[in-house]
Amino acid sequence: MTNSGRDLRVFAIANQKGGVGKTTTAINLGTALAAVGERVLVIDLDPQGNASTGLGVPEEARHVSTYDVLAGAAALEQAMTPAAVPGLYVAPSTRDLAGLEPEISAAPNRAYFLRDAINSLRASERDRPPHERLGYVLIDCPPSLSILTLNALAASDAALVPVQCEFFALEGITQLKETIDFVRSSLNPSLEIHGVVLTMHDSRTRLSDEVATEVRSFFGQKVYETVIPRNVSVAEAPSHGKPLLLYNHKSAGSRAYMELAAEMIDRERTAVAA
Ligand SMILES: Nc1ncnc2c1ncn2[C@@H]1O[C@H](COP(=O)(O)OP(=O)(O)OP(=O)(O)O)[C@@H](O)[C@H]1O
Ligand SMILES: [Mg+2]
């Protein structure tokens, strides 16, 4: 069963800590969801543009970007660029996005620009036949709690938090939880934490297991059972502009992201049934 026919689900992939696997998760979870028949849009909300590159959209092909969308110059539909996988799209980012904050700092609705853009997209999606509708939007957040991340959290049904299996994994997590609580109490009352995904787990080290245990005792049931292993193919794929599932579909990383997609869909179903 795909999500077509149900309303679009929007997830912010967020953690202000750098290099924890946000972009890798956005790319590969998006690909895995598309592989099981969903239509998925990855919104690149990081001026670094790593999700855009990893999904095969080079800088010269980013004609309409998320900067244009947030600056009110374009609709999200106009930024949607097909990725190499059928059913997967990316709204690419450019460096311009780094300059957005001062430009919008005086606007009273500055945290809602992305939500408004997604709402317009949602409205136009309802006119499409169910099998052509987008099922999921995944927002790749930058490593900061800036206005960009606030826009992502204000626009989302839920946050998905990657946590790297390394020392200091939980550093900054309290701040992230406080930010999510702040957004829930002010900008977006229905925001939840969908789940926490452990990334770059190295089964050869005891540290990885210790961190996993610590994260599970902190977040409890919110931690997905699926753990993403540290895997060389995961790191190599972006330099080929290909999602991992296309680069090496047999790798342990590919299998893990397929499992994560299945677990996510399962949680969605349980939530709907509850
Ligand atoms: N499972 C994995 N196995 C091996 N390498 C990985 C894995 N996941 C991510 N990496 C590598 O770790 C680095 C950081 O990952 P990624 O870019 O996804 O993190 P990020 O949280 O988006 O970073 P930033 O905060 O800079 O946006 C990248 O070089 C990526 O290729
Ligand atoms: Mg990133």
Side-chain angles (χ1 to χ4, degrees), residues 27-38 88 245 254 257-259 261:
I27 292 174
N28 294 303
L29 185 59
T31 307
L33 287 168
V36 295
E38 297 288 353
L88 183 61
L245 270 173
S254 288
Y257 275 108
M258 284 302 289
E259 268 169 42

Side-chain angles (χ1 to χ4, degrees), residues 22 24 28 32 44 47 51 60 75 100 108 114 168 187 190 205 213 228 252:
K22 293 179 288 296
T24 303
N28 294 303
D44 192 345
E60 61 275 14
L100 184 78
L114 186 62
F168 296 134
L187 303 170
S190 58
T205 69
T213 305
I228 310 298

Side-chain angles (χ1 to χ4, degrees), residues 109-123:
N109 61 337
R110 61 188 174 276
Y112 286 131
F113 290 170
L114 186 62
R115 182 198 66 176
D116 294 347
I118 291 176
N119 279 345
S120 304
L121 178 68
R122 198 179 250 128

